[in-house]
Amino acid sequence: MSDTFLHDLINIIPVSMTVLINNKIVYANMAAAILLEADSAASLIGRPVSDFVHPLDANRSNQRLNKQGANWANDPTQFRLRTCKNNLRMLLVASSSIQFGGEGAVLLVGMDMTAQSEISEQLRISEKNFRHLFENMQDVYYRTDAAGIVQMVGPGVRTVLGYEPEEIVGKTAESYYPHNEDRDAFKAAIIKDGKVSDFPGQMVRKDGRVIDISISSKAIYDDAGAYAGVEGIYRDVTQRKMLERELQLLATTDTLTGILNRRAFLEQAEHIFKTSQRYNNSLTLLMLDLDYFKAINDQYGHLSGDKVLTRFAQTVTLELRDSDVFGRLGGEEFCVLLQQASREDAISAAERIRQHVQDLVLHATSGEQFHLTVSIGVATNLESDKKLGKLLERADKALYEAKRSGRNRVMLDL
């Protein structure tokens, strides 16, 4: 093998190779010139290696290059260096003692690791940021296997459920559901769609308190495409749910009496009316109006009037079934919808209500006692009633007849 061949081979190798004698460069291949951003390999000859080693690595470099003896080698390690254009590079360097031109010398072989170092640093920073996010997120990250066993859970579980992560790992996710139907619904949604977003449910905290949660998760699969479990996050939305319930209550409840307001009553009544038409079920409306209520307000004051309305609503509620719907349409006018009740049953219920209201002993804010009566109109749905409005109209007509006939009575629309 000729010297020319070896020289050409060394120059085309994409690895930096330099030879040092007394820590000065006496040989450099083309890759070394490219690495050090020199004009040519020849321009490097005679320059001390310390011109390129970063000051922070100078001491370590000297210790590796100034070893005594004829046969030694240094394992690869990383060094920072400055190029001829003062750019920073990260170099993976190995070195060993050699003979060069009959003299003892040092062979340096180096690979440019700058890009890899930057990637590693970016990965390190990314991992650091991820860990910081993971450790501080309020949501709970989790992953289960195909059997529903928790494989991993984030530290947010301390806040949400009151458990340490290691107390959760190895347990079934189902263990923390107070209602099996919640977990079953979640499983069914995952199987059907492969994922869920803001899925509602409840869990039991370590202290026994039941909280509302929102889950966003997806199914995971193994390399063969088989179902391997679920991963996702869940969060405590108890306060949000409480606020939603309060807003729903405010939107549907009469604030004075606690029964349905006009809009909520009519919505429910409309739904029940359509169902009764579809299945030919009996349906009866009681339209109730307090007698001489304006006189009560005028004589005893509006505060006493409000107490009358509340007491009246309580009295009527005691006479109703769970399936019946009771609402305040406005002022002193109320309405009751009776499901699956015969005309005779409806009249009987109306008479009981009328009698109990008549028997009430009420007290004004001044302490004075007084009594109350109510007029009630009754109407049962007919095949000709295509809309709820017709039934309401007939019940209102019967109420008008009860008022016209002397009040404190029940009248049936015929």
Side-chain angles (χ1 to χ4, degrees), residues 235-253:
R235 63 182 58 176
D236 183 351
V237 294
T238 304
Q239 289 186 340
R240 189 186 83 186
K241 287 295 184 181
M242 288 177 61
L243 179 59
E244 289 176 357
R245 294 181 189 112
E246 289 174 4
L247 291 175
Q248 177 67 15
L249 189 63
L250 289 173
T252 60
T253 304

Side-chain angles (χ1 to χ4, degrees), residues 239-284:
Q239 289 186 340
R240 189 186 83 186
K241 287 295 184 181
M242 288 177 61
L243 179 59
E244 289 176 357
R245 294 181 189 112
E246 289 174 4
L247 291 175
Q248 177 67 15
L249 189 63
L250 289 173
T252 60
T253 304
D254 177 62
T255 55
L256 177 62
T257 61
I259 64 176
L260 295 177
N261 61 22
R262 179 185 181 88
R263 182 177 66 83
F265 173 83
L266 292 177
E267 284 180 355
Q268 290 195 29
E270 181 70 32
H271 174 73
I272 294 171
F273 178 79
K274 289 180 178 178
T275 301
S276 69
Q277 283 187 312
R278 185 178 304 115
Y279 298 104
N280 197 29
N281 295 331
S282 61
L283 191 68
T284 303

Side-chain angles (χ1 to χ4, degrees), residues 171-398:
K171 304 288 182 61
T172 62
E174 295 180 4
S175 305
Y176 306 96
Y177 279 77
H179 309 296
N180 290 334
E181 54 267 28
D182 282 353
R183 181 63 183 178
D184 292 343
F186 172 76
K187 284 182 176 180
I190 284 287
I191 292 172
K192 178 178 180 291
D193 301 319
K195 62 181 180 179
V196 296
S197 179
D198 200 21
F199 196 86
Q202 290 186 320
M203 282 189 175
V204 182
R205 283 176 47 87
K206 190 174 183 178
D207 58 14
R209 182 163 56 91
V210 176
I211 62 171
D212 291 292
I213 61 168
S214 170
I215 314 173
S216 296
S217 303
K218 65 177 182 178
I220 52 179
Y221 303 90
D222 60 22
D223 293 340
Y227 173 73
V230 176
E231 72 171 349
I233 60 172
Y234 58 85
R235 63 182 58 176
D236 183 351
V237 294
T238 304
Q239 289 186 340
R240 189 186 83 186
K241 287 295 184 181
M242 288 177 61
L243 179 59
E244 289 176 357
R245 294 181 189 112
E246 289 174 4
L247 291 175
Q248 177 67 15
L249 189 63
L250 289 173
T252 60
T253 304
D254 177 62
T255 55
L256 177 62
T257 61
I259 64 176
L260 295 177
N261 61 22
R262 179 185 181 88
R263 182 177 66 83
F265 173 83
L266 292 177
E267 284 180 355
Q268 290 195 29
E270 181 70 32
H271 174 73
I272 294 171
F273 178 79
K274 289 180 178 178
T275 301
S276 69
Q277 283 187 312
R278 185 178 304 115
Y279 298 104
N280 197 29
N281 295 331
S282 61
L283 191 68
T284 303
L285 274 179
L286 310 183
M287 192 72 76
L288 307 92
D289 191 273
L290 302 186
D291 298 327
Y292 303 110
F293 182 71
K294 183 178 183 302
I296 293 174
N297 268 336
D298 292 343
Q299 182 174 352
Y300 301 111
H302 288 283
L303 183 59
S304 294
D306 288 348
K307 290 182 178 179
V308 167
L309 292 172
T310 301
R311 186 77 180 278
F312 170 78
Q314 293 170 346
T315 300
V316 174
T317 300
L318 291 174
E319 295 300 321
L320 301 179
R321 305 165 300 175
D322 291 340
S323 60
D324 299 331
V325 183
F326 181 32
R328 182 184 178 192
L329 299 187
E332 67 273 23
E333 189 175 29
F334 296 79
C335 196
V336 174
L337 184 149
L338 303 175
Q339 299 186 69
Q340 298 289 350
S342 66
R343 180 173 297 186
E344 291 73 20
D345 290 338
I347 293 174
S348 177
E351 281 291 351
R352 289 197 306 272
I353 291 171
R354 186 199 63 76
Q355 185 63 52
H356 286 147
V357 171
Q358 178 180 279
D359 293 342
L360 287 176
V361 179
L362 303 166
H363 296 83
T365 54
S366 62
E368 187 177 352
Q369 290 187 1
F370 63 94
H371 293 275
L372 178 71
T373 61
V374 61
S375 299
I376 304 174
V378 181
T380 301
N381 64 324
L382 304 174
E383 288 186 11
S384 58
D385 293 330
K386 302 303 181 184
K387 294 183 179 181
L388 176 66
K390 294 298 293 182
L391 184 58
L392 287 167
E393 183 181 318
R394 292 193 294 104
D396 193 59
K397 180 181 177 182

Side-chain angles (χ1 to χ4, degrees), residues 24-37:
K24 291 184 178 181
I25 299 173
V26 297
Y27 174 81
N29 69 351
M30 187 61 67
I34 294 172
L35 174 66
L36 295 174
E37 296 185 306

Side-chain angles (χ1 to χ4, degrees), residues 54-239:
H54 193 283
L56 293 177
D57 290 336
N59 184 57
R60 190 160 56 97
S61 174
N62 289 334
Q63 290 178 356
R64 288 169 62 91
L65 296 178
N66 295 325
K67 289 186 175 181
Q68 301 298 314
N71 296 296
W72 54 264
N74 289 313
D75 293 333
T77 189
Q78 290 191 354
F79 281 92
R80 288 162 288 187
L81 57 83
R82 290 285 182 183
T83 71
C84 294
K85 295 182 179 181
N86 203 36
N87 292 317
L88 183 64
R89 292 284 188 270
M90 181 65 74
L91 194 66
L92 181 65
V93 181
S95 55
S96 64
S97 61
I98 63 169
Q99 289 293 313
F100 186 82
E103 294 186 63
V106 176
L107 173 64
L108 293 180
V109 180
M111 293 180 61
D112 188 355
M113 302 296 292
T114 307
Q116 289 86 341
S117 295
E118 290 176 352
I119 292 172
S120 296
E121 179 63 12
Q122 290 171 3
L123 288 174
R124 186 190 68 80
I125 294 173
S126 177
E127 175 65 13
K128 180 181 178 181
N129 291 338
F130 168 75
R131 295 308 305 179
H132 182 269
L133 175 65
F134 186 72
E135 293 291 335
N136 291 280
M137 68 187 300
Q138 297 302 305
D139 295 344
V140 181
Y141 169 82
Y142 77 100
R143 186 174 69 241
T144 72
D145 62 14
I149 306 298
V150 178
Q151 303 295 301
M152 184 178 181
V153 66
V157 76
R158 296 189 184 103
T159 302
V160 175
L161 294 183
Y163 290 96
E164 290 298 318
E166 55 269 22
E167 294 181 274
I168 301 288
V169 173
K171 304 288 182 61
T172 62
E174 295 180 4
S175 305
Y176 306 96
Y177 279 77
H179 309 296
N180 290 334
E181 54 267 28
D182 282 353
R183 181 63 183 178
D184 292 343
F186 172 76
K187 284 182 176 180
I190 284 287
I191 292 172
K192 178 178 180 291
D193 301 319
K195 62 181 180 179
V196 296
S197 179
D198 200 21
F199 196 86
Q202 290 186 320
M203 282 189 175
V204 182
R205 283 176 47 87
K206 190 174 183 178
D207 58 14
R209 182 163 56 91
V210 176
I211 62 171
D212 291 292
I213 61 168
S214 170
I215 314 173
S216 296
S217 303
K218 65 177 182 178
I220 52 179
Y221 303 90
D222 60 22
D223 293 340
Y227 173 73
V230 176
E231 72 171 349
I233 60 172
Y234 58 85
R235 63 182 58 176
D236 183 351
V237 294
T238 304
Q239 289 186 340

